């Protein structure tokens, strides 16, 4: 996906990028590739692949959910900033908090935010399990996103405790989302969520399956969740 295709395909979805926003994506790409030589941020470094598989793919959440509202979004395990930083560039009014367990990724994100001149962004070095029991963050976000972090039964325990009641958790998945959902249904319900919508589409050009799961937080998460770091992965709610 070249830059013109990126701009045109987003415009087809009602997302018009200004010259400034396109410049920010260009800076993002170059900063990502530069830092990737020093640390492992992504296996994808070809420009057209980055625009398709990272930038366009991240923004695809906005095809199915209204990001024009003044949400405070928390992105769990964002790595090099996906999906939240492309969403922040496309919707500058968003307030974004990223929590990631690797401090060097937080260093990259802080540098990136300075290069892109992003405001209302916060980067926190923590495990999602301990972050989710912190009273300053628990059940305080309008929106929590995660892209390809863990299977749904595990991911729900990392993300749903952070969503305020009435807010949403958006899980971005590749193929097999239906199978994950079947196994993860108990976790979603236990943690106070309910599947509101599931959207399946094909990523253009490479024709690979993508799924956007929109889960509404209907009631408070029981106090015992999330459990200690590592426990959700070892003993998922299934």
């Amino acid at each position: 996906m070249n830059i013109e295709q990126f701009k045109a395909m987003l415009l087809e979805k009602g997302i018009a990028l200004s010259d400034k926003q396109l410049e920010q994506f260009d800076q993002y790409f170059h900063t990502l590739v530069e830092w990737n030589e020093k640390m492992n941020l992504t296996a994808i470094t070809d420009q057209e692949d980055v625009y398709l598989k990272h930038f366009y793919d991240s923004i695809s959440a906005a095809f199915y959910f209204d990001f024009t509202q003044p949400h405070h979004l928390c992105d769990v395990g964002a790595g090099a900033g996906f999906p939240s930083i492309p969403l922040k560039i496309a919707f500058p009014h968003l307030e974004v908090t990223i929590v990631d367990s690797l401090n060097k990724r937080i260093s990259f994100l802080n540098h990136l935010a300075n290069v892109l001149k992003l405001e209302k962004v916060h980067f926190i070095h923590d495990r999602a399990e301990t972050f989710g029991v912190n009273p300053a963050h628990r059940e305080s976000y309008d929106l929590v996103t995660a892209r390809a972090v863990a299977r749904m039964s595990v991911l729900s325990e990392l993300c749903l405790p952070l969503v305020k009641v009435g807010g949403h958790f958006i899980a971005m998945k590749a193929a097999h989302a239906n199978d994950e959902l079947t196994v993860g249904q108990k976790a979603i319900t236990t943690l106070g969520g309910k599947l509101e919508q599931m959207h399946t589409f094909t990523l253009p050009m490479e024709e690979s399956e993508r799924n956007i799961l929109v889960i509404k937080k209907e009631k408070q998460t029981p106090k015992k969740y999330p459990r200690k770091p590592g426990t959700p992965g070892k003993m998922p709610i299934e």
Side-chain angles (χ1 to χ4, degrees):
M1 176 178 277
N2 64 37
I3 293 164
E4 283 306 312
Q5 290 168 324
F6 175 67
K7 182 181 177 181
M9 287 188 174
L10 288 178
L11 192 56
E12 283 175 18
K13 299 289 187 179
I15 299 168
L17 297 179
S18 67
D19 289 344
K20 178 191 173 184
Q21 287 166 309
L22 290 167
E23 174 66 19
Q24 286 176 307
F25 279 113
D26 182 63
Q27 291 173 312
Y28 194 168
F29 165 69
H30 287 289
T31 307
L32 177 67
V33 171
E34 180 193 335
W35 276 62
N36 202 57
E37 292 175 4
K38 298 183 279 184
M39 64 174 76
N40 182 25
L41 291 166
T42 177
I44 299 166
T45 55
D46 175 77
Q47 186 172 25
E48 294 202 352
D49 284 345
V50 169
Y51 270 79
L52 175 64
K53 297 176 184 177
H54 283 329
F55 297 167
Y56 183 89
D57 191 36
S58 292
I59 297 171
S60 68
F63 304 164
Y64 305 102
F65 191 86
D66 185 6
F67 279 84
T68 64
Q69 302 303 309
H71 300 299
H72 188 176
L73 181 158
C74 179
D75 193 2
V76 173
F82 309 119
S84 55
I85 300 298
L87 285 165
K88 169 70 178 173
I89 295 171
F91 302 94
H93 60 275
L94 292 174
E95 183 169 359
V96 170
T97 296
I98 289 177
V99 57
D100 197 277
S101 60
L102 206 59
N103 204 31
K104 60 184 181 181
R105 286 199 289 254
I106 297 295
S107 299
F108 165 73
L109 291 167
N110 275 311
H111 175 76
L112 180 68
N114 287 332
V115 169
L116 303 186
K117 298 182 172 56
L118 299 179
E119 297 176 349
K120 294 200 294 184
V121 289
H122 321 280
F123 307 118
I124 298 170
H125 175 226
D126 202 354
R127 291 283 299 254
E129 296 96 331
T130 47
F131 191 70
V133 296
N134 183 333
H137 297 282
R138 185 179 178 86
E139 296 191 323
S140 65
Y141 294 94
D142 306 303
L143 200 53
V144 175
T145 56
R147 177 176 175 256
V149 173
R151 61 192 192 276
M152 281 305 294
S153 51
V154 178
L155 199 57
S156 298
E157 187 168 351
L158 303 180
C159 295
L160 275 167
L162 294 165
V163 185
K164 62 170 66 166
V165 175
H168 291 84
F169 162 39
I170 297 181
M172 304 182 72
K173 293 281 176 186
H176 312 301
N178 267 319
D179 297 339
E180 284 195 34
L181 198 54
T182 302
V183 176
Q185 192 56 59
K186 182 182 177 186
I188 293 167
T189 306
T190 301
L191 295 154
K194 182 183 179 181
L195 181 69
E196 193 170 78
Q197 295 172 312
M198 177 172 165
H199 304 278
T200 302
F201 67 102
T202 304
L203 199 63
M205 284 135 187
E206 69 163 31
E207 302 293 306
S208 54
E209 182 183 316
R210 292 291 186 272
N211 292 276
I212 309 280
L213 281 63
V214 181
I215 295 163
K216 185 164 186 181
K217 181 78 170 276
E218 294 205 313
K219 54 181 192 287
Q220 286 188 316
T221 299
K223 283 193 171 63
K224 65 178 178 178
Y225 300 110
R227 292 165 292 168
K228 288 178 183 173
T231 307
K234 289 178 195 152
M235 296 189 295
I237 305 165
E238 290 176 357

